[in-house]
PDB file of all heavy atoms in Angstrom:
ATOM      1  N   LEU A  55      -2.887   4.750 -38.489  1.00  0.00           N
ATOM      2  CA  LEU A  55      -2.024   4.267 -37.411  1.00  0.00           C
ATOM      3  C   LEU A  55      -2.771   3.262 -36.534  1.00  0.00           C
ATOM      4  O   LEU A  55      -2.161   2.385 -35.924  1.00  0.00           O
ATOM      5  CB  LEU A  55      -1.531   5.427 -36.541  1.00  0.00           C
ATOM      6  CG  LEU A  55      -0.633   6.451 -37.221  1.00  0.00           C
ATOM      7  CD1 LEU A  55      -0.363   7.630 -36.275  1.00  0.00           C
ATOM      8  CD2 LEU A  55       0.672   5.813 -37.668  1.00  0.00           C
ATOM      9  N   TYR A  56      -4.076   3.392 -36.482  1.00  0.00           N
ATOM     10  CA  TYR A  56      -4.890   2.517 -35.645  1.00  0.00           C
ATOM     11  C   TYR A  56      -5.519   1.361 -36.401  1.00  0.00           C
ATOM     12  O   TYR A  56      -5.806   0.328 -35.809  1.00  0.00           O
ATOM     13  CB  TYR A  56      -5.976   3.338 -34.927  1.00  0.00           C
ATOM     14  CG  TYR A  56      -5.373   4.336 -33.984  1.00  0.00           C
ATOM     15  CD1 TYR A  56      -5.191   5.658 -34.366  1.00  0.00           C
ATOM     16  CD2 TYR A  56      -4.922   3.945 -32.732  1.00  0.00           C
ATOM     17  CE1 TYR A  56      -4.607   6.571 -33.509  1.00  0.00           C
ATOM     18  CE2 TYR A  56      -4.330   4.844 -31.872  1.00  0.00           C
ATOM     19  CZ  TYR A  56      -4.166   6.155 -32.268  1.00  0.00           C
ATOM     20  OH  TYR A  56      -3.569   7.054 -31.425  1.00  0.00           O
ATOM     21  N   ILE A  57      -5.764   1.521 -37.690  1.00  0.00           N
ATOM     22  CA  ILE A  57      -6.478   0.444 -38.396  1.00  0.00           C
ATOM     23  C   ILE A  57      -5.620  -0.320 -39.391  1.00  0.00           C
ATOM     24  O   ILE A  57      -6.052  -1.351 -39.871  1.00  0.00           O
ATOM     25  CB  ILE A  57      -7.766   0.948 -39.080  1.00  0.00           C
ATOM     26  CG1 ILE A  57      -7.478   1.978 -40.169  1.00  0.00           C
ATOM     27  CG2 ILE A  57      -8.757   1.466 -38.050  1.00  0.00           C
ATOM     28  CD1 ILE A  57      -8.687   2.329 -41.015  1.00  0.00           C
ATOM     29  N   ASN A  58      -4.420   0.170 -39.716  1.00  0.00           N
ATOM     30  CA  ASN A  58      -3.560  -0.634 -40.596  1.00  0.00           C
ATOM     31  C   ASN A  58      -3.226  -1.928 -39.883  1.00  0.00           C
ATOM     32  O   ASN A  58      -2.935  -1.942 -38.688  1.00  0.00           O
ATOM     33  CB  ASN A  58      -2.290   0.116 -40.981  1.00  0.00           C
ATOM     34  CG  ASN A  58      -2.494   0.996 -42.181  1.00  0.00           C
ATOM     35  OD1 ASN A  58      -3.552   0.993 -42.794  1.00  0.00           O
ATOM     36  ND2 ASN A  58      -1.485   1.757 -42.517  1.00  0.00           N
ATOM     37  N   GLY A  59      -3.263  -3.003 -40.619  1.00  0.00           N
ATOM     38  CA  GLY A  59      -3.013  -4.310 -40.029  1.00  0.00           C
ATOM     39  C   GLY A  59      -4.284  -4.985 -39.549  1.00  0.00           C
ATOM     40  O   GLY A  59      -4.285  -6.173 -39.288  1.00  0.00           O
ATOM     41  N   LEU A  60      -5.356  -4.225 -39.410  1.00  0.00           N
ATOM     42  CA  LEU A  60      -6.656  -4.812 -39.072  1.00  0.00           C
ATOM     43  C   LEU A  60      -7.401  -4.979 -40.382  1.00  0.00           C
ATOM     44  O   LEU A  60      -7.510  -4.039 -41.163  1.00  0.00           O
ATOM     45  CB  LEU A  60      -7.460  -3.869 -38.172  1.00  0.00           C
ATOM     46  CG  LEU A  60      -6.826  -3.421 -36.866  1.00  0.00           C
ATOM     47  CD1 LEU A  60      -7.756  -2.448 -36.155  1.00  0.00           C
ATOM     48  CD2 LEU A  60      -6.529  -4.607 -35.977  1.00  0.00           C
ATOM     49  N   HIS A  61      -7.869  -6.139 -40.662  1.00  0.00           N
ATOM     50  CA  HIS A  61      -8.550  -6.352 -41.933  1.00  0.00           C
ATOM     51  C   HIS A  61      -9.589  -7.434 -41.823  1.00  0.00           C
ATOM     52  O   HIS A  61      -9.546  -8.275 -40.943  1.00  0.00           O
ATOM     53  CB  HIS A  61      -7.548  -6.681 -43.046  1.00  0.00           C
ATOM     54  CG  HIS A  61      -6.690  -7.859 -42.731  1.00  0.00           C
ATOM     55  ND1 HIS A  61      -7.043  -9.127 -43.067  1.00  0.00           N
ATOM     56  CD2 HIS A  61      -5.508  -7.955 -42.077  1.00  0.00           C
ATOM     57  CE1 HIS A  61      -6.101  -9.973 -42.651  1.00  0.00           C
ATOM     58  NE2 HIS A  61      -5.171  -9.287 -42.050  1.00  0.00           N
ATOM     59  N   GLY A  62     -10.523  -7.360 -42.759  1.00  0.00           N
ATOM     60  CA  GLY A  62     -11.629  -8.297 -42.767  1.00  0.00           C
ATOM     61  C   GLY A  62     -11.371  -9.502 -43.640  1.00  0.00           C
ATOM     62  O   GLY A  62     -11.627 -10.627 -43.277  1.00  0.00           O
ATOM     63  N   SER A  63     -10.811  -9.279 -44.823  1.00  0.00           N
ATOM     64  CA  SER A  63     -10.551 -10.411 -45.704  1.00  0.00           C
ATOM     65  C   SER A  63      -9.258 -10.161 -46.460  1.00  0.00           C
ATOM     66  O   SER A  63      -8.862  -9.030 -46.699  1.00  0.00           O
ATOM     67  CB  SER A  63     -11.705 -10.605 -46.686  1.00  0.00           C
ATOM     68  OG  SER A  63     -11.662  -9.630 -47.694  1.00  0.00           O
ATOM     69  N   ASP A  64      -8.602 -11.240 -46.830  1.00  0.00           N
ATOM     70  CA  ASP A  64      -7.335 -11.132 -47.535  1.00  0.00           C
ATOM     71  C   ASP A  64      -7.474 -10.394 -48.858  1.00  0.00           C
ATOM     72  O   ASP A  64      -6.635  -9.577 -49.207  1.00  0.00           O
ATOM     73  CB  ASP A  64      -6.746 -12.526 -47.787  1.00  0.00           C
ATOM     74  CG  ASP A  64      -6.302 -13.189 -46.488  1.00  0.00           C
ATOM     75  OD1 ASP A  64      -6.154 -12.489 -45.477  1.00  0.00           O
ATOM     76  OD2 ASP A  64      -6.096 -14.412 -46.509  1.00  0.00           O
ATOM     77  N   SER A  65      -8.559 -10.639 -49.599  1.00  0.00           N
ATOM     78  CA  SER A  65      -8.694  -9.998 -50.904  1.00  0.00           C
ATOM     79  C   SER A  65      -8.883  -8.487 -50.755  1.00  0.00           C
ATOM     80  O   SER A  65      -8.349  -7.717 -51.541  1.00  0.00           O
ATOM     81  CB  SER A  65      -9.850 -10.601 -51.694  1.00  0.00           C
ATOM     82  OG  SER A  65     -11.068 -10.381 -51.030  1.00  0.00           O
ATOM     83  N   GLN A  66      -9.622  -8.045 -49.716  1.00  0.00           N
ATOM     84  CA  GLN A  66      -9.764  -6.609 -49.473  1.00  0.00           C
ATOM     85  C   GLN A  66      -8.410  -5.990 -49.170  1.00  0.00           C
ATOM     86  O   GLN A  66      -8.065  -4.931 -49.677  1.00  0.00           O
ATOM     87  CB  GLN A  66     -10.682  -6.343 -48.284  1.00  0.00           C
ATOM     88  CG  GLN A  66     -12.135  -6.509 -48.548  1.00  0.00           C
ATOM     89  CD  GLN A  66     -12.944  -6.268 -47.279  1.00  0.00           C
ATOM     90  OE1 GLN A  66     -12.405  -6.121 -46.192  1.00  0.00           O
ATOM     91  NE2 GLN A  66     -14.254  -6.245 -47.444  1.00  0.00           N
ATOM     92  N   MET A  67      -7.643  -6.650 -48.311  1.00  0.00           N
ATOM     93  CA  MET A  67      -6.350  -6.109 -47.901  1.00  0.00           C
ATOM     94  C   MET A  67      -5.384  -6.076 -49.071  1.00  0.00           C
ATOM     95  O   MET A  67      -4.647  -5.111 -49.239  1.00  0.00           O
ATOM     96  CB  MET A  67      -5.783  -6.938 -46.738  1.00  0.00           C
ATOM     97  CG  MET A  67      -4.600  -6.289 -46.083  1.00  0.00           C
ATOM     98  SD  MET A  67      -5.100  -4.701 -45.394  1.00  0.00           S
ATOM     99  CE  MET A  67      -3.647  -4.347 -44.447  1.00  0.00           C
ATOM    100  N   LYS A  68      -5.383  -7.124 -49.895  1.00  0.00           N
ATOM    101  CA  LYS A  68      -4.505  -7.143 -51.069  1.00  0.00           C
ATOM    102  C   LYS A  68      -4.804  -5.965 -51.983  1.00  0.00           C
ATOM    103  O   LYS A  68      -3.908  -5.253 -52.421  1.00  0.00           O
ATOM    104  CB  LYS A  68      -4.664  -8.450 -51.851  1.00  0.00           C
ATOM    105  CG  LYS A  68      -3.999  -9.639 -51.222  1.00  0.00           C
ATOM    106  CD  LYS A  68      -4.264 -10.886 -52.058  1.00  0.00           C
ATOM    107  CE  LYS A  68      -3.864 -12.125 -51.296  1.00  0.00           C
ATOM    108  NZ  LYS A  68      -4.237 -13.340 -52.004  1.00  0.00           N
ATOM    109  N   GLY A  69      -6.082  -5.733 -52.262  1.00  0.00           N
ATOM    110  CA  GLY A  69      -6.477  -4.620 -53.122  1.00  0.00           C
ATOM    111  C   GLY A  69      -6.091  -3.285 -52.524  1.00  0.00           C
ATOM    112  O   GLY A  69      -5.575  -2.407 -53.206  1.00  0.00           O
ATOM    113  N   PHE A  70      -6.298  -3.150 -51.224  1.00  0.00           N
ATOM    114  CA  PHE A  70      -5.952  -1.901 -50.543  1.00  0.00           C
ATOM    115  C   PHE A  70      -4.445  -1.666 -50.588  1.00  0.00           C
ATOM    116  O   PHE A  70      -3.988  -0.580 -50.919  1.00  0.00           O
ATOM    117  CB  PHE A  70      -6.440  -1.955 -49.094  1.00  0.00           C
ATOM    118  CG  PHE A  70      -6.058  -0.752 -48.287  1.00  0.00           C
ATOM    119  CD1 PHE A  70      -6.715   0.447 -48.496  1.00  0.00           C
ATOM    120  CD2 PHE A  70      -5.059  -0.813 -47.345  1.00  0.00           C
ATOM    121  CE1 PHE A  70      -6.376   1.571 -47.767  1.00  0.00           C
ATOM    122  CE2 PHE A  70      -4.702   0.298 -46.619  1.00  0.00           C
ATOM    123  CZ  PHE A  70      -5.367   1.492 -46.817  1.00  0.00           C
ATOM    124  N   MET A  71      -3.664  -2.683 -50.281  1.00  0.00           N
ATOM    125  CA  MET A  71      -2.207  -2.541 -50.261  1.00  0.00           C
ATOM    126  C   MET A  71      -1.676  -2.234 -51.659  1.00  0.00           C
ATOM    127  O   MET A  71      -0.781  -1.414 -51.824  1.00  0.00           O
ATOM    128  CB  MET A  71      -1.545  -3.811 -49.707  1.00  0.00           C
ATOM    129  CG  MET A  71      -1.872  -4.086 -48.242  1.00  0.00           C
ATOM    130  SD  MET A  71      -1.356  -2.780 -47.133  1.00  0.00           S
ATOM    131  CE  MET A  71       0.402  -3.090 -47.098  1.00  0.00           C
TER     132      MET A  71
END
Side-chain angles (χ1 to χ4, degrees):
L55 296 173
Y56 296 97
I57 63 171
N58 274 355
L60 304 178
H61 56 90
S63 75
D64 291 343
S65 63
Q66 284 178 352
M67 192 61 169
K68 284 178 192 174
F70 176 74
M71 295 300 285

